[in-house]
Amino acid sequence: MPRRLGPNGAPMGQNQDRGGHLADWMNAHRNLTPQQQQQALQNEPGFRQLPPQTQERYRERLSQLNAMNPVQRERILNRNEQMERLSPDQRGQVRGAMQQLGSLPPDQRHVVARSFNELRNLPPNQRAAAMGGIPLNDAQRATLYNLMRLEPMIPR
């Protein structure tokens, strides 16, 4: 039975306040062609009541997911599920940290992202010492510290 869509375009249910379950929806519609999935999305109760821009954004996102290879798609769906488990405040903090990272010039962003991934793979008691040895400018260091502060909440 189709679920109703909430204001974010995701299926409503017990976790409506924390977003829908994109992975569940994709799994339930995995045997459909991309065109049939688009039609199923259009037929979701509440979809047509969403603003046209929101409808288009969800149609585009579905197309993007269908264009990915299965490994990429699963990774995106898993990250989405991890973000849904966070409180709205935690999601906002993670988004803010990612925006801070995204605001760095590409070469600096790459250094910080690589450093973050290396640090998060270390045991927690080794991270501070390792972080101190990374040559970073003030903006990079602030971004890395913010990412590490939120590391448990940031999906892998």
Side-chain angles (χ1 to χ4, degrees):
M1 183 161 188
R3 291 176 281 182
R4 298 185 47 157
L5 294 178
N8 63 358
M12 294 193 316
Q14 292 176 327
N15 295 322
Q16 177 187 356
D17 60 320
R18 294 184 359 190
H21 293 281
L22 179 60
D24 291 344
W25 193 93
M26 290 295 292
N27 190 42
H29 296 85
R30 73 177 176 268
N31 294 326
L32 301 178
T33 67
Q35 295 79 16
Q36 290 171 325
Q37 286 181 352
Q38 289 286 349
Q39 188 61 44
L41 179 62
Q42 295 280 352
N43 292 332
E44 283 284 339
F47 182 82
R48 294 174 198 254
Q49 284 73 44
L50 294 171
Q53 306 90 328
T54 303
Q55 291 180 29
E56 184 59 27
R57 190 172 68 241
Y58 287 112
R59 284 190 292 269
E60 287 175 12
R61 188 64 177 142
L62 180 57
S63 292
Q64 289 170 350
L65 286 168
N66 281 318
M68 294 175 184
N69 69 48
V71 172
Q72 288 174 311
R73 184 174 37 253
E74 190 64 27
R75 189 170 139 222
I76 295 295
L77 294 174
N78 286 338
R79 282 184 177 180
N80 186 65
E81 285 293 314
Q82 287 178 299
M83 286 293 286
E84 287 178 5
R85 291 185 192 107
L86 299 176
S87 71
D89 182 55
Q90 289 172 321
R91 279 195 305 270
Q93 289 177 37
V94 169
R95 284 189 188 111
M98 299 315 251
Q99 287 172 344
Q100 182 181 14
L101 177 64
S103 71
L104 293 173
D107 59 329
Q108 293 182 27
R109 183 179 332 135
H110 178 72
V111 169
V112 172
R114 187 180 67 237
S115 299
F116 173 72
N117 286 322
E118 290 171 2
L119 289 169
R120 81 185 317 192
N121 289 323
L122 291 176
N125 62 345
Q126 295 177 11
R127 292 176 180 176
M131 193 180 314
I134 302 171
L136 300 171
N137 65 33
D138 290 343
Q140 291 171 309
R141 188 160 305 283
T143 302
L144 183 57
Y145 275 113
N146 195 26
L147 289 168
M148 290 308 296
R149 180 178 63 82
L150 298 171
E151 187 272 333
M153 294 184 276
I154 297 176
R156 289 190 179 259

